Amino acid sequence: MDLATLLGLVGAMGVMIGAIVLGGDVMGFVDVPSIVIVVGGTAFVVLFRTTMGQFLGSFKVALGAFLHKGTAPLKLIEEAVSLANVARKEGLLALEGKEISHPFLKTGISLCIDGHAPDVVSKVLSKDINLTIQRQEAGYGVFKAVAEVAPAMGMIGTLIGLVQMLANMSDPKSIGPAMAVALLTTLYGAVIANAVATPIAEKVKLRSNEEKLSKTLILESISGIQEGLNPRVLEQLLMAYLPESQRQSSKS
């Protein structure tokens, strides 16, 4: 888990929990029926909007996004240029047994060593990229749906609580506590949407973009290596994937 994710998660939860603790009665913010309405209702509505596979797979996608340890594009370029140097001087078979850090790059090099045609290698790797992006987009869609549905379920729970409260107006002393419980569902929905589901969805989207960039860069590298492209030319070609600031720093 990267530092930004850890700080954001701990900080957001810490601020809310701290405010509740400083305010007094912590158990006043716990209501089981409200939790059931918001959490259960949100889960079932989102499941209604998606497939079972997408719903269950979204948790794996989210976990992968949070625990993802990506390789910096600059390091991928350096490794690809190094492999291109070896392949140009000694042939593609000389790459067999070389230690390769990125699994996708390793797969591409293996396909080249096995003697597959460039169009076959490109088709296999492109298919991998497209399917990976599709899975991540499905996970992103599930958590965006949670962010949309949770506040609505919170409002529904609040309305249910208000109806029950108004039906029992004979005891004025019970109106305040009943109103507080009714509002808890709105609170739960807002927390789930804004402090959980939306950050997870955006993190999945961020990791998806990073992985797409890395794998596209690797695909370009494999094509260049297989074509016997000059390593210096390949390096210049791959540098286009980096922001201008990183290109300048790599030259210095």
Side-chain angles (χ1 to χ4, degrees):
M1 185 179 292
D2 65 293
L3 184 60
T5 301
L6 185 61
L7 287 176
L9 180 62
V10 173
M13 294 301 171
V15 167
M16 289 185 287
I17 294 172
I20 291 172
V21 171
L22 292 173
D25 185 16
V26 175
M27 295 308 296
F29 286 84
V30 178
D31 184 64
V32 175
S34 298
I35 294 173
V36 171
I37 290 172
V38 177
V39 177
T42 299
F44 283 119
V45 171
V46 171
L47 187 59
F48 187 26
R49 292 174 55 166
T50 61
T51 65
M52 182 65 77
Q54 289 175 337
F55 183 79
L56 296 177
S58 66
F59 296 101
K60 184 178 179 181
V61 170
L63 185 62
F66 278 96
L67 301 179
H68 175 72
K69 292 183 178 179
T71 305
L74 186 57
K75 289 186 177 180
L76 287 175
I77 293 172
E78 291 172 353
E79 187 171 11
V81 171
S82 175
L83 293 171
N85 268 311
V86 174
R88 187 174 174 82
K89 292 175 182 177
E90 305 174 34
L92 287 172
L93 290 178
L95 298 177
E96 191 169 8
K98 288 282 184 182
E99 188 175 342
I100 299 173
S101 62
H102 199 289
F104 190 67
L105 179 58
K106 188 174 183 178
T107 299
I109 293 297
S110 296
L111 290 170
C112 295
I113 292 171
D114 290 341
H116 295 290
D119 59 330
V120 173
V121 175
S122 178
K123 185 176 181 179
V124 170
L125 297 181
S126 297
K127 191 70 173 178
D128 183 287
I129 294 172
N130 292 335
L131 291 176
T132 300
I133 297 303
Q134 284 179 18
R135 287 191 293 269
Q136 291 168 340
E137 286 179 347
Y140 171 79
V142 168
F143 284 101
K144 286 300 286 184
V146 171
E148 292 174 10
V149 173
M153 293 306 301
M155 184 57 66
I156 290 170
T158 296
L159 293 174
I160 291 172
L162 288 175
V163 169
Q164 292 174 339
M165 181 189 73
L166 293 173
N168 188 25
M169 294 289 287
S170 57
D171 183 10
K173 292 182 180 180
S174 67
I175 294 176
M179 184 67 177
V181 170
L183 291 175
L184 280 178
T185 53
T186 299
L187 174 64
Y188 293 155
V191 170
I192 290 173
N194 297 290
V196 179
T198 297
I200 290 177
E202 294 305 319
K203 184 66 74 172
V204 168
K205 186 177 181 180
L206 175 65
R207 296 305 186 206
S208 178
N209 290 336
E210 288 177 349
E211 188 168 1
K212 184 178 180 181
L213 174 66
S214 295
K215 287 191 171 183
T216 305
L217 187 154
I218 289 172
L219 178 59
E220 194 85 54
S221 304
I222 296 297
S223 298
I225 291 171
Q226 200 168 19
E227 291 171 11
L229 202 63
N230 186 299
R232 291 184 180 179
V233 175
L234 178 62
E235 183 178 18
Q236 292 300 315
L237 179 64
L238 298 179
M239 282 294 179
Y241 286 89
L242 299 179
E244 187 63 33
S245 58
Q246 290 187 30
R247 295 183 213 172
Q248 296 298 330
S249 62
S250 66
K251 293 177 182 178
S252 58

